[in-house]
Amino acid sequence: MAAISLMARLPLGGDLVEELTRLVLANNLTRGGIMVIGSLRRAALGYYRQKEKQYVTLSVDKPVEIASGMGNISMKDGKPFVHLHLVLSGEDGACVGGHAMAGCEIFAAEAVMRGLEGNPLVRERDEGTGLFLWAKGG
Ligand code: ZN
């Protein structure tokens, strides 16, 4: 894959991870990085309980700023997969953060994506963590 950079405004009311995934698919990205800032009407953040090896979800039921959104693109189950983490701030500036789950409703968002050259980077289930991590040497 050739390197590609793009910038996009994401639609009002859309789901953040879904809209980023749509962009990834439309541009045939199989490995790369994502940055996103803006604001959300509400959010859902994941926290991985390492002992239990499972995610719990924190619902943020108020408008928040995306103070920072950082992610990456790789392949999972044969499809491009967006892995995104968010730091969200409320009106008092206090922040919460975590793994972006379905349910982050966009108010306004600007994304910058960079697709990197090279073979698709593939996620595989890792026994030690229970997570789908990049294959070694990817
Ligand atoms: Zn994560």
Side-chain angles (χ1 to χ4, degrees), residues 5 7-8 19 21 23 28 42 50 55 58 64 68 73 86 91 93-94 98 101 107-108 111 116 125 130 132 134-135:
S5 296
M7 300 174 78
E19 293 298 334
T21 301
L23 274 175
N28 298 314
R42 61 184 62 84
Q50 296 176 9
Y55 276 99
L58 166 71
V64 287
S68 180
I73 303 156
L86 297 170
E91 200 165 352
M101 310 287 271
F107 183 71
L116 300 175
R125 191 170 188 287
F132 282 82
W134 293 335

Side-chain angles (χ1 to χ4, degrees), residues 46 48 55 81 83-85 98-101 123 131:
Y48 192 68
Y55 276 99
F81 174 76
H83 184 197
L84 181 73
H85 282 204
H99 176 104
M101 310 287 271
R123 287 183 180 276
L131 293 166

Side-chain angles (χ1 to χ4, degrees), residues 1-6 27-32 113-118:
M1 196 192 88
I4 179 177
S5 296
L6 61 101
N27 290 280
N28 298 314
L29 306 182
T30 57
R31 59 191 288 156
M113 278 188 193
R114 187 165 175 82
L116 300 175
E117 284 184 50

Side-chain angles (χ1 to χ4, degrees), residues 4 6 11 14 23 31 34 37 40 55-56 73 88-89 92 108 111 119 121 128 138:
I4 179 177
L6 61 101
L23 274 175
R31 59 191 288 156
I34 297 173
I37 56 171
L40 301 172
Y55 276 99
V56 290
I73 303 156
L88 305 174
S89 59
D92 61 356
N119 293 326
L121 187 54

Side-chain angles (χ1 to χ4, degrees), residues 4-65:
I4 179 177
S5 296
L6 61 101
M7 300 174 78
R9 175 182 144 188
L10 304 180
L12 175 71
D15 181 88
L16 184 60
V17 175
E18 204 173 287
E19 293 298 334
L20 290 170
T21 301
R22 192 188 314 274
L23 274 175
V24 165
L25 290 168
N27 290 280
N28 298 314
L29 306 182
T30 57
R31 59 191 288 156
I34 297 173
M35 293 184 290
V36 61
I37 56 171
S39 54
L40 301 172
R41 286 173 163 161
R42 61 184 62 84
L45 297 173
Y47 173 84
Y48 192 68
R49 285 191 173 149
Q50 296 176 9
K51 263 189 181 168
E52 292 88 346
K53 295 184 178 175
Q54 64 182 28
Y55 276 99
V56 290
T57 302
L58 166 71
S59 290
V60 180
D61 295 316
K62 64 178 185 180
V64 287
E65 296 287 320

